[in-house]
Amino acid sequence: MQIAKVRGTVVSTQKDPSLRGSKLLLLQFVDEEGHLLPKYEVAADSVGAGIDEWVLVSCGSAARQIPGNEQRPIDAMVVGIIDTINVDNRLIYSKKDQYTRG
Amino acid sequence: MQIAKVRGTVVSTQKDPSLRGSKLLLLQFVDEEGHLLPKYEVAADSVGAGIDEWVLVSCGSAARQIPGNEQRPIDAMVVGIIDTINVDNRLIYSKKDQYTRG
Amino acid sequence: MQIAKVRGTVVSTQKDPSLRGSKLLLLQFVDEEGHLLPKYEVAADSVGAGIDEWVLVSCGSAARQIPGNEQRPIDAMVVGIIDTINVDNRLIYSKKDQYTRG
Amino acid sequence: MQIAKVRGTVVSTQKDPSLRGSKLLLLQFVDEEGHLLPKYEVAADSVGAGIDEWVLVSCGSAARQIPGNEQRPIDAMVVGIIDTINVDNRLIYSKKDQYTRG
Amino acid sequence: MQIAKVRGTVVSTQKDPSLRGSKLLLLQFVDEEGHLLPKYEVAADSVGAGIDEWVLVSCGSAARQIPGNEQRPIDAMVVGIIDTINVDNRLIYSKKDQYTRG
């Protein structure tokens, strides 16, 4: 899985019928030090993530393992909202701090 | 999924029989700020996208989840025509504006 | 799918038994402007492509959707020989012109 | 598979129910000379790897081949803890030496 | 498939039980001109490849198409030992010459 920040939304009315009702999030990837990368993905969302939250995104056939999505033409899915990231026993991200600061 | 702009078409008469009747679009990828990237994909189309439209493209096995495509040797499919893209609550693309300007 | 030019062949006698009889082509990828890219793929061929022809190559599990290849350990397959590529209503490749010039 | 070093952990409480109980490791990739690369992956762990250990990570649908993970939305899995890596008959990594030095 | 040179081996005793008995090779990728690339893969081996041989490696779900590997968590497999590579009717690699020179 990759770490990504929810940056926005993509709206499409003329789409494959199986995608009706899916909210599509625009995600920007984050590196192992917490910096934004010049790489994005549009993903379906199974956990109710909101703008600015950091999430885990699964790509490829993994995206269709969430019940109800087995036959949707999606290749990326938000599978978790991140609470904390620790690297070398150092906290590099905490959702709680993020919102206290904001 | 990735955001891409429909740039053209690819015609092939000598191809796998399962691909007969498929229109193949040449897509150029677009980044999260709306700029064209030096990266393209040839994709089948399930939504009737036209030249210059911005679309969502699914890659890998996701491309074969559209009914009738389960056993076609395709690894990319246009699954939606984009109406709007919002990043940080700012509208970075609107199909309506695109055509008003054009 | 990606656009590629057939550059050569790869011969292997000591290989997985399921690959016996498969001709393996060395393909070099081509970008959306028709320029050769520093990226290649060795692919099986289902359409009888020859040296210098431009082809469509499908990667990943799509390569095994051609009847008879479902259980071969291949991750790339030539699925069509390209006749023409149009970008912004401009012809950037035509097989006919290619061979007239050659 | 890729070689990676376990750098940390990612905690998510609001996640797909099938991921409950999975420990998620933050891995940084290592190249064929043993140097850390600017590339990471968040992976589930099937072998009990600890911080600073070098591991083998499988990506894509391979990650779901471990019993109990067939229908989890994961695209990366730690499948082994590395003891030694030999390149050109030269030992470039040994878990034993790593811990002796540390 | 990609062309790669067998550079070494990776040993792991604490690994997923399904991987017991698999020899894991460290491969370095080779480009279409025969030059080594800064890109590697650890792969299982179905053909008995040895150090310095040039091989074909299949990645992704293709790696599990070799009988006996259908449910192993592997994403790369050596599927053939290369005898010759021809580009533009020029021989750029021959296993026989390789060993004559060596």
Side-chain angles (χ1 to χ4, degrees):
Chain A
M1 282 75 74
Q2 294 288 303
I3 300 167
K5 185 182 182 179
V6 181
R7 293 291 311 279
T9 52
V10 175
V11 174
S12 165
T13 46
Q14 196 171 336
K15 62 185 165 189
D16 183 69
S18 72
L19 295 175
R20 282 178 199 148
S22 291
K23 190 177 182 181
L24 298 174
L25 298 177
L26 183 69
L27 309 176
Q28 188 169 0
F29 286 26
V30 173
D31 72 13
E32 76 282 1
E33 296 296 328
H35 304 121
L36 287 170
L37 294 168
K39 200 178 160 197
Y40 76 93
E41 189 80 49
V42 178
D45 176 22
S46 67
V47 292
I51 297 288
D52 282 342
E53 286 191 307
W54 285 28
V55 297
L56 283 169
V57 56
S58 278
C59 294
S61 53
R64 296 193 301 281
Q65 302 301 314
I66 306 278
N69 292 276
E70 294 87 348
Q71 299 188 306
R72 282 179 157 169
I74 53 175
D75 58 7
M77 175 69 85
V78 174
V79 299
I81 298 173
I82 296 174
D83 294 308
T84 56
I85 303 173
N86 272 278
V87 173
D88 296 338
N89 297 317
R90 188 168 48 91
L91 185 72
I92 69 155
Y93 172 80
S94 164
K95 184 182 165 182
K96 200 178 152 190
D97 293 354
Q98 195 75 1
Y99 283 91
T100 308
R101 281 186 216 146
Chain B
M1 283 75 73
Q2 294 288 303
I3 299 168
K5 185 182 183 179
V6 181
R7 292 292 310 279
T9 53
V10 175
V11 174
S12 165
T13 45
Q14 197 172 336
K15 61 186 166 189
D16 184 68
S18 73
L19 294 176
R20 281 178 200 150
S22 290
K23 189 176 182 182
L24 298 174
L25 299 178
L26 183 68
L27 308 176
Q28 188 170 359
F29 285 26
V30 173
D31 72 12
E32 77 282 2
E33 296 296 328
H35 304 120
L36 288 170
L37 294 169
K39 200 179 160 196
Y40 76 92
E41 188 81 48
V42 178
D45 177 23
S46 67
V47 292
I51 298 289
D52 282 342
E53 287 192 305
W54 284 29
V55 297
L56 283 169
V57 56
S58 277
C59 293
S61 54
R64 296 194 301 281
Q65 302 302 314
I66 306 278
N69 291 277
E70 293 86 349
Q71 299 187 307
R72 284 178 157 171
I74 53 175
D75 58 7
M77 174 70 83
V78 174
V79 299
I81 297 173
I82 296 174
D83 294 306
T84 57
I85 303 173
N86 272 278
V87 173
D88 296 338
N89 297 317
R90 188 168 48 90
L91 185 73
I92 69 155
Y93 172 78
S94 165
K95 185 182 165 180
K96 201 178 152 189
D97 293 355
Q98 195 73 3
Y99 282 92
T100 307
R101 280 188 217 145
Chain C
M1 284 74 75
Q2 294 287 303
I3 299 168
K5 185 182 182 178
V6 181
R7 293 291 310 279
T9 52
V10 175
V11 174
S12 165
T13 45
Q14 196 172 337
K15 61 186 165 188
D16 183 69
S18 73
L19 294 176
R20 281 178 200 148
S22 291
K23 189 176 183 183
L24 297 174
L25 299 177
L26 183 68
L27 308 176
Q28 188 169 359
F29 285 26
V30 173
D31 72 12
E32 76 282 3
E33 296 294 330
H35 304 121
L36 287 169
L37 293 169
K39 199 179 160 197
Y40 76 92
E41 188 81 49
V42 178
D45 177 22
S46 66
V47 292
I51 298 288
D52 283 343
E53 287 191 305
W54 284 28
V55 297
L56 283 169
V57 56
S58 277
C59 294
S61 54
R64 297 194 302 281
Q65 302 301 313
I66 306 278
N69 291 277
E70 293 86 350
Q71 299 188 307
R72 283 179 156 170
I74 53 175
D75 58 7
M77 173 70 83
V78 173
V79 298
I81 298 174
I82 295 175
D83 294 306
T84 57
I85 303 173
N86 272 277
V87 173
D88 297 337
N89 297 317
R90 189 167 47 91
L91 185 72
I92 68 157
Y93 172 78
S94 164
K95 185 182 165 181
K96 201 179 152 189
D97 294 354
Q98 195 75 1
Y99 281 91
T100 306
R101 281 188 217 146
Chain D
M1 284 74 74
Q2 295 289 302
I3 300 167
K5 186 182 183 179
V6 182
R7 293 290 311 279
T9 52
V10 175
V11 174
S12 165
T13 45
Q14 196 171 335
K15 62 186 166 189
D16 183 69
S18 73
L19 295 175
R20 280 179 200 148
S22 291
K23 189 176 182 181
L24 298 174
L25 298 177
L26 183 68
L27 309 176
Q28 188 169 359
F29 286 26
V30 173
D31 71 14
E32 76 283 1
E33 296 294 329
H35 305 120
L36 287 170
L37 293 169
K39 200 179 159 195
Y40 76 91
E41 189 80 50
V42 178
D45 177 22
S46 66
V47 292
I51 298 289
D52 282 342
E53 287 191 306
W54 285 27
V55 297
L56 283 169
V57 57
S58 277
C59 295
S61 53
R64 297 193 302 280
Q65 302 302 313
I66 306 278
N69 291 276
E70 294 86 348
Q71 299 189 305
R72 283 178 156 172
I74 53 175
D75 58 7
M77 174 70 84
V78 173
V79 298
I81 298 173
I82 296 174
D83 295 307
T84 56
I85 303 173
N86 271 279
V87 174
D88 297 337
N89 297 318
R90 189 167 48 90
L91 185 72
I92 70 157
Y93 172 79
S94 163
K95 184 183 164 180
K96 200 178 153 190
D97 293 355
Q98 195 74 1
Y99 282 91
T100 308
R101 282 186 217 147
Chain E
M1 284 74 75
Q2 294 288 303
I3 300 168
K5 185 182 183 177
V6 182
R7 293 290 312 278
T9 52
V10 175
V11 174
S12 165
T13 45
Q14 195 172 337
K15 60 186 166 189
D16 183 69
S18 72
L19 295 176
R20 280 177 200 149
S22 291
K23 189 175 182 183
L24 298 175
L25 299 177
L26 183 68
L27 309 176
Q28 187 169 359
F29 286 27
V30 174
D31 72 12
E32 75 283 2
E33 297 294 329
H35 304 120
L36 287 170
L37 294 168
K39 200 178 159 195
Y40 76 92
E41 188 81 50
V42 178
D45 177 22
S46 66
V47 292
I51 297 288
D52 282 342
E53 286 191 305
W54 285 27
V55 297
L56 282 169
V57 56
S58 278
C59 294
S61 54
R64 297 194 302 281
Q65 302 301 314
I66 306 277
N69 291 277
E70 294 86 350
Q71 299 188 306
R72 284 178 156 173
I74 53 175
D75 58 7
M77 174 69 83
V78 174
V79 298
I81 298 174
I82 295 174
D83 295 306
T84 56
I85 304 173
N86 272 277
V87 173
D88 297 338
N89 298 316
R90 189 168 47 91
L91 186 72
I92 69 157
Y93 172 78
S94 164
K95 184 182 165 181
K96 200 179 152 189
D97 293 354
Q98 195 74 1
Y99 282 91
T100 307
R101 281 186 218 148

